[in-house]
Amino acid sequence: MHVKTASIVVAVFAATHAFALPKTEEWSKPKPWKNPTQHYFQNAELGPRPQFLITDMDEGWLKDRLSACSDMVAQPTKFSIGHRGGACLQFPEETRESIEAGTRMGAGILECDVAFTSDRELVCRHDQCDLHTTTNIVATDLNAKCTTPFTPAVNGTAATAKCCTSDITLAEFKSLCGKMDGFNASATTPEDFLHGTPAWRTDLYATCGTVLSHKEFLALVDSHGRDFTTELKQPRVPMPFGGDGSDYTQQRYAQQVIDEYRAAAIDPARVWLQSFEFDDVAYWLQADPAFGAQAVLLDESADLPGSSLAAAVANLSFYRDAGVRVVAPPLQYLVALGEGDEYVPSDYATTAKALGLKILTWSLERSGPLAQAAAAGDYYWSTIANGTHKDGDMYRLVDVLARQVGVLGIFSDWSATVTYYANCFGLF
Ligand SMILES: *[C@@H]1O[C@H](CO)[C@@H](O)[C@H](O)[C@H]1NC(C)=O
Ligand SMILES: *[C@@H]1O[C@H](CO)[C@@H](O)[C@H](O)[C@H]1NC(C)=O
Ligand SMILES: *[C@@H]1O[C@H](CO)[C@@H](O)[C@H](O)[C@H]1NC(C)=O
Ligand SMILES: *[C@@H]1O[C@H](CO)[C@@H](O)[C@H](O)[C@H]1NC(C)=O
């Protein structure tokens, strides 16, 4: 009896679907594909994460508003800035794969942090000396060229290595594989040292990330028709690089970034240069005002020894008077806790706005599960940790930054989260 019923069900299913599915030869026809090298990924693909965050929110108007957008066709938006490529929550940072995933997820501006190689070429790396945690270098012959080659853990002393872009040439850099940032301090072999990805990230896409020169980054992002943000990373070697008498000074390094944009004929209006060093921003303002106009002063000055948020606020008018137009503090500088668990704009936010400064902020989606992050004193949530309880709080933060602080854009390790909000609220 059961067998008979089951075979009837299968027969009905097969009959119904025989009409619904296209014939095999239809599948193999190429799809129309216009202009394959220019401006593809025109719609944003947001995946399941925004909905996961919204479902986790407390009931209320913001949850209703965001839920109402769940079937929208999303577009790229400059409000969504791809931090270290825009997908480094899951993809190796500063690689082609992170940038392509960030582009897919609608980031309108993509980031490359630059450092220089021994032959003075600019490459995308978040720190001049992070190759031992972001690439496979210690497990290659290039380990021998590292400032500090890999040393295994012995008797409870941690394994060490320090490998800098300035230790190797561009050609050598290009032979490396990008991986998730992390290392295994107990490693007794170079291969074991490469592990250490936090459990809430993944190694699924760390199958040899394509490392990029800054010139390759410009070509890649331009091919997608998106905008650019290049951060000049602080040198980890004395400048001028190459010793006394070398012409590779800090200013030469800062100028090289602009030279590469000029050589690629990219409109400065599409470019947001960034530095933590006021002197770099001052240099760009003076040397090339077209690029200086949108140069971003990254501000983490409240974290300096002996400093405070109040001291950082006090410095904002100095920057404004010096010609800086855009400041970018970390998320937590811009918000405070109001009544109950409400997030409200901080003194820093209201002062920067009153001075007419434009504001960008960094970095969303860097902290892992939020309940855990808030309890563990996570940097980016530190000023609102006592009002942060779950992942659904993500959009409460984005909402106060967007509608009350009025930031121009948010750097995120997972671009879809910001792209979703921006599309839902019409921020482009
Ligand atoms: C590690 O500890 C063992 C036992 O105490 C000792 O024999 C050995 O010399 C130590 N090795 C190093 C490199 O310190
Ligand atoms: C870290 O290295 C140690 C020693 O090589 C190894 O036993 C351990 O499995 C490694 N941990 C990971 C997560 O790979
Ligand atoms: C204020 O800005 C000046 C110039 O960059 C800097 O020297 C000083 O350390 C800053 N102070 C704080 C608290 O950020
Ligand atoms: C959070 O609450 C704890 C305990 O009440 C308190 O000590 C701490 O100062 C609060 N943190 C902030 C940033 O308000």
Side-chain angles (χ1 to χ4, degrees), residues 84 93-94 113-116 123-135 162-166 173 181 231-237 253:
R84 306 189 194 183
E93 65 181 46
E94 312 272 347
D113 295 298
V114 296
F116 50 83
V123 294
C124 299
R125 274 303 96 181
H126 184 256
D127 192 295
Q128 188 178 324
C129 298
D130 72 11
L131 293 180
H132 52 289
T133 68
T134 64
T135 73
K162 182 180 175 189
C163 306
C164 308
T165 58
S166 49
F173 174 78
D181 188 13
E231 181 184 337
L232 193 74
K233 299 309 293 196
Q234 195 189 348
R236 301 292 182 196
V237 291
Y253 171 45

Short mmCIF file of all heavy atoms in Angstrom, two decimals, residues 84 93-94 113-116 123-135 162-166 173 181 231-237 253:
data_model
loop_
_atom_site.label_atom_id
_atom_site.label_comp_id
_atom_site.label_asym_id
_atom_site.label_seq_id
_atom_site.Cartn_x
_atom_site.Cartn_y
_atom_site.Cartn_z
N ARG A 84 38.88 46.81 3.50
CA ARG A 84 39.88 45.80 3.09
C ARG A 84 39.31 44.92 1.96
O ARG A 84 39.58 43.72 1.91
CB ARG A 84 40.31 44.93 4.27
CG ARG A 84 40.83 45.75 5.45
CD ARG A 84 41.46 44.90 6.53
NE ARG A 84 41.65 45.66 7.77
CZ ARG A 84 42.23 45.20 8.86
NH1 ARG A 84 42.70 43.97 8.89
NH2 ARG A 84 42.37 45.96 9.95
N GLU A 93 41.57 39.27 3.36
CA GLU A 93 41.53 40.73 3.21
C GLU A 93 42.49 41.23 2.14
O GLU A 93 43.52 40.62 1.89
CB GLU A 93 41.86 41.39 4.55
CG GLU A 93 43.29 41.12 5.03
CD GLU A 93 43.57 41.76 6.38
OE1 GLU A 93 42.74 41.65 7.30
OE2 GLU A 93 44.63 42.40 6.52
N GLU A 94 42.11 42.36 1.52
CA GLU A 94 42.97 43.06 0.55
C GLU A 94 43.29 42.21 -0.67
O GLU A 94 44.33 42.40 -1.30
CB GLU A 94 44.29 43.51 1.22
CG GLU A 94 44.14 44.22 2.57
CD GLU A 94 43.96 45.72 2.45
OE1 GLU A 94 44.18 46.28 1.36
OE2 GLU A 94 43.57 46.34 3.47
N ASP A 113 44.57 49.30 1.24
CA ASP A 113 45.55 49.93 2.12
C ASP A 113 46.90 49.73 1.49
O ASP A 113 47.24 48.60 1.14
CB ASP A 113 45.55 49.25 3.49
CG ASP A 113 44.23 49.43 4.22
OD1 ASP A 113 43.88 50.58 4.52
OD2 ASP A 113 43.55 48.42 4.49
N VAL A 114 47.69 50.81 1.33
CA VAL A 114 48.95 50.59 0.64
C VAL A 114 50.17 50.60 1.55
O VAL A 114 50.25 51.32 2.54
CB VAL A 114 49.22 51.57 -0.54
CG1 VAL A 114 48.20 51.40 -1.64
CG2 VAL A 114 49.35 52.99 -0.09
N ALA A 115 51.10 49.71 1.16
CA ALA A 115 52.43 49.64 1.76
C ALA A 115 53.38 49.47 0.57
O ALA A 115 52.93 49.19 -0.54
CB ALA A 115 52.53 48.44 2.69
N PHE A 116 54.70 49.66 0.79
CA PHE A 116 55.62 49.57 -0.34
C PHE A 116 56.53 48.36 -0.23
O PHE A 116 56.83 47.88 0.86
CB PHE A 116 56.45 50.86 -0.51
CG PHE A 116 57.12 51.34 0.76
CD1 PHE A 116 58.33 50.81 1.17
CD2 PHE A 116 56.53 52.33 1.54
CE1 PHE A 116 58.95 51.25 2.33
CE2 PHE A 116 57.14 52.79 2.71
CZ PHE A 116 58.35 52.25 3.11
N VAL A 123 51.60 48.10 -2.86
CA VAL A 123 50.77 46.88 -2.85
C VAL A 123 49.68 47.02 -1.79
O VAL A 123 49.80 47.82 -0.86
CB VAL A 123 51.64 45.62 -2.55
CG1 VAL A 123 52.61 45.37 -3.69
CG2 VAL A 123 52.37 45.73 -1.22
N CYS A 124 48.61 46.26 -1.95
CA CYS A 124 47.49 46.31 -1.00
C CYS A 124 47.76 45.37 0.18
O CYS A 124 47.79 44.15 0.01
CB CYS A 124 46.19 45.87 -1.68
SG CYS A 124 45.68 46.91 -3.07
N ARG A 125 47.99 45.95 1.34
CA ARG A 125 48.17 45.22 2.60
C ARG A 125 47.76 46.15 3.71
O ARG A 125 48.04 47.34 3.66
CB ARG A 125 49.63 44.83 2.85
CG ARG A 125 50.16 43.56 2.25
CD ARG A 125 49.41 42.31 2.63
NE ARG A 125 48.45 41.98 1.59
CZ ARG A 125 47.62 40.94 1.64
NH1 ARG A 125 47.63 40.14 2.67
NH2 ARG A 125 46.76 40.72 0.67
N HIS A 126 47.14 45.60 4.74
CA HIS A 126 46.67 46.47 5.82
C HIS A 126 47.79 47.01 6.69
O HIS A 126 47.67 48.04 7.32
CB HIS A 126 45.63 45.75 6.69
CG HIS A 126 45.06 46.64 7.72
ND1 HIS A 126 45.43 46.59 9.04
CD2 HIS A 126 44.20 47.67 7.60
CE1 HIS A 126 44.78 47.54 9.69
NE2 HIS A 126 44.03 48.21 8.86
N ASP A 127 48.91 46.31 6.71
CA ASP A 127 50.07 46.77 7.48
C ASP A 127 51.31 46.38 6.70
O ASP A 127 51.37 45.30 6.12
CB ASP A 127 50.08 46.11 8.86
CG ASP A 127 51.07 46.77 9.81
OD1 ASP A 127 52.31 46.71 9.56
OD2 ASP A 127 50.62 47.34 10.82
N GLN A 128 52.28 47.26 6.69
CA GLN A 128 53.52 46.95 5.97
C GLN A 128 54.13 45.64 6.47
O GLN A 128 54.77 44.92 5.71
CB GLN A 128 54.52 48.10 6.16
CG GLN A 128 55.75 47.96 5.29
CD GLN A 128 56.70 49.13 5.46
OE1 GLN A 128 56.27 50.27 5.64
NE2 GLN A 128 57.98 48.86 5.41
N CYS A 129 53.92 45.32 7.74
CA CYS A 129 54.52 44.11 8.32
C CYS A 129 53.46 43.14 8.84
O CYS A 129 53.50 42.73 10.01
CB CYS A 129 55.51 44.49 9.42
SG CYS A 129 56.89 45.48 8.79
N ASP A 130 52.53 42.76 7.96
CA ASP A 130 51.56 41.73 8.37
C ASP A 130 51.59 40.50 7.46
O ASP A 130 50.70 39.65 7.53
CB ASP A 130 50.13 42.29 8.48
CG ASP A 130 49.47 42.59 7.13
OD1 ASP A 130 50.01 42.20 6.08
OD2 ASP A 130 48.40 43.24 7.15
N LEU A 131 52.63 40.40 6.62
CA LEU A 131 52.64 39.29 5.66
C LEU A 131 52.65 37.92 6.36
O LEU A 131 52.13 36.95 5.82
CB LEU A 131 53.87 39.39 4.74
CG LEU A 131 53.88 40.57 3.76
CD1 LEU A 131 55.16 40.53 2.93
CD2 LEU A 131 52.66 40.55 2.86
N HIS A 132 53.22 37.87 7.55
CA HIS A 132 53.28 36.58 8.27
C HIS A 132 51.91 36.16 8.81
O HIS A 132 51.73 34.99 9.14
CB HIS A 132 54.31 36.65 9.40
CG HIS A 132 54.11 37.81 10.32
ND1 HIS A 132 54.38 39.12 9.93
CD2 HIS A 132 53.64 37.89 11.58
CE1 HIS A 132 54.10 39.94 10.94
NE2 HIS A 132 53.64 39.21 11.94
N THR A 133 50.95 37.08 8.90
CA THR A 133 49.61 36.68 9.37
C THR A 133 48.55 36.73 8.27
O THR A 133 47.47 36.18 8.43
CB THR A 133 49.12 37.53 10.56
OG1 THR A 133 48.89 38.88 10.11
CG2 THR A 133 50.11 37.54 11.71
N THR A 134 48.84 37.41 7.15
CA THR A 134 47.82 37.54 6.08
C THR A 134 48.19 36.80 4.80
O THR A 134 47.43 36.84 3.84
CB THR A 134 47.57 39.02 5.72
OG1 THR A 134 48.77 39.58 5.19
CG2 THR A 134 47.12 39.83 6.93
N THR A 135 49.38 36.19 4.76
CA THR A 135 49.78 35.39 3.58
C THR A 135 50.47 34.11 4.06
O THR A 135 50.74 33.94 5.25
CB THR A 135 50.77 36.14 2.66
OG1 THR A 135 52.07 36.17 3.28
CG2 THR A 135 50.31 37.56 2.34
N LYS A 162 58.13 37.99 11.58
CA LYS A 162 57.73 39.34 11.18
C LYS A 162 58.18 39.53 9.74
O LYS A 162 59.38 39.54 9.46
CB LYS A 162 58.38 40.39 12.08
CG LYS A 162 57.95 41.81 11.72
CD LYS A 162 58.61 42.83 12.64
CE LYS A 162 58.27 44.24 12.21
NZ LYS A 162 59.07 45.24 12.96
N CYS A 163 57.21 39.63 8.86
CA CYS A 163 57.51 39.72 7.44
C CYS A 163 56.83 40.96 6.87
O CYS A 163 55.62 41.16 7.05
CB CYS A 163 57.02 38.48 6.71
SG CYS A 163 57.66 36.94 7.44
N CYS A 164 57.62 41.80 6.18
CA CYS A 164 57.15 43.11 5.72
C CYS A 164 57.18 43.15 4.20
O CYS A 164 58.03 42.52 3.56
CB CYS A 164 58.06 44.21 6.26
SG CYS A 164 58.29 44.13 8.06
N THR A 165 56.27 43.93 3.63
CA THR A 165 56.28 44.10 2.17
C THR A 165 57.63 44.65 1.72
O THR A 165 58.11 44.32 0.64
CB THR A 165 55.16 45.04 1.72
OG1 THR A 165 55.32 46.30 2.36
CG2 THR A 165 53.78 44.47 2.05
N SER A 166 58.27 45.47 2.59
CA SER A 166 59.55 46.09 2.24
C SER A 166 60.72 45.09 2.30
O SER A 166 61.83 45.44 1.93
CB SER A 166 59.82 47.27 3.17
OG SER A 166 59.63 46.87 4.52
N PHE A 173 56.27 39.40 -3.95
CA PHE A 173 54.97 39.59 -3.29
C PHE A 173 53.86 38.90 -4.08
O PHE A 173 52.99 38.22 -3.52
CB PHE A 173 54.69 41.09 -3.16
CG PHE A 173 53.32 41.43 -2.61
CD1 PHE A 173 53.05 41.34 -1.26
CD2 PHE A 173 52.29 41.83 -3.47
CE1 PHE A 173 51.78 41.65 -0.75
CE2 PHE A 173 51.03 42.13 -2.98
CZ PHE A 173 50.78 42.05 -1.61
N ASP A 181 43.46 36.63 8.12
CA ASP A 181 44.41 37.19 9.08
C ASP A 181 44.39 36.36 10.37
O ASP A 181 43.33 36.16 10.96
CB ASP A 181 44.00 38.64 9.38
CG ASP A 181 45.02 39.39 10.20
OD1 ASP A 181 46.16 38.90 10.35
OD2 ASP A 181 44.66 40.48 10.70
N GLU A 231 44.26 53.88 1.46
CA GLU A 231 44.83 54.38 2.72
C GLU A 231 46.34 54.24 2.68
O GLU A 231 46.87 53.16 2.40
CB GLU A 231 44.28 53.60 3.93
CG GLU A 231 44.87 54.13 5.24
CD GLU A 231 44.44 53.36 6.47
OE1 GLU A 231 43.39 52.69 6.45
OE2 GLU A 231 45.17 53.43 7.48
N LEU A 232 47.01 55.33 2.97
CA LEU A 232 48.48 55.33 3.05
C LEU A 232 48.85 54.79 4.43
O LEU A 232 48.63 55.46 5.45
CB LEU A 232 49.00 56.75 2.87
CG LEU A 232 50.49 56.88 2.63
CD1 LEU A 232 50.85 56.44 1.20
CD2 LEU A 232 50.95 58.33 2.84
N LYS A 233 49.39 53.57 4.48
CA LYS A 233 49.72 52.99 5.78
C LYS A 233 51.04 53.57 6.27
O LYS A 233 51.95 53.86 5.49
CB LYS A 233 49.85 51.46 5.69
CG LYS A 233 48.59 50.75 5.26
CD LYS A 233 47.33 51.11 6.03
CE LYS A 233 47.32 50.69 7.48
NZ LYS A 233 45.92 50.74 8.04
N GLN A 234 51.12 53.65 7.57
CA GLN A 234 52.32 54.19 8.21
C GLN A 234 53.51 53.27 7.92
O GLN A 234 53.41 52.07 8.09
CB GLN A 234 52.05 54.21 9.72
CG GLN A 234 52.99 55.02 10.51
CD GLN A 234 52.76 54.79 12.01
OE1 GLN A 234 51.77 54.21 12.42
NE2 GLN A 234 53.69 55.24 12.79
N PRO A 235 54.65 53.84 7.44
CA PRO A 235 55.82 52.98 7.21
C PRO A 235 56.29 52.35 8.53
O PRO A 235 56.20 52.95 9.59
CB PRO A 235 56.88 53.97 6.71
CG PRO A 235 56.13 55.14 6.21
CD PRO A 235 54.90 55.23 7.06
N ARG A 236 56.77 51.11 8.44
CA ARG A 236 57.33 50.42 9.61
C ARG A 236 58.86 50.40 9.55
O ARG A 236 59.50 49.67 10.29
CB ARG A 236 56.80 48.98 9.68
CG ARG A 236 55.30 48.88 9.77
CD ARG A 236 54.78 49.39 11.10
NE ARG A 236 53.33 49.23 11.19
CZ ARG A 236 52.58 49.86 12.09
NH1 ARG A 236 53.12 50.69 12.97
NH2 ARG A 236 51.28 49.67 12.10
N VAL A 237 59.40 51.14 8.60
CA VAL A 237 60.86 51.29 8.48
C VAL A 237 61.14 52.79 8.50
O VAL A 237 60.27 53.58 8.15
CB VAL A 237 61.40 50.68 7.17
CG1 VAL A 237 61.29 49.16 7.19
CG2 VAL A 237 60.69 51.26 5.95
N TYR A 253 56.36 58.96 -1.06
CA TYR A 253 55.42 57.82 -0.88
C TYR A 253 53.97 58.31 -1.01
O TYR A 253 53.16 57.73 -1.74
CB TYR A 253 55.74 57.21 0.47
CG TYR A 253 54.85 56.16 1.06
CD1 TYR A 253 54.36 55.09 0.31
CD2 TYR A 253 54.55 56.20 2.44
CE1 TYR A 253 53.57 54.11 0.92
CE2 TYR A 253 53.78 55.22 3.04
CZ TYR A 253 53.28 54.18 2.27
OH TYR A 253 52.52 53.22 2.87
#
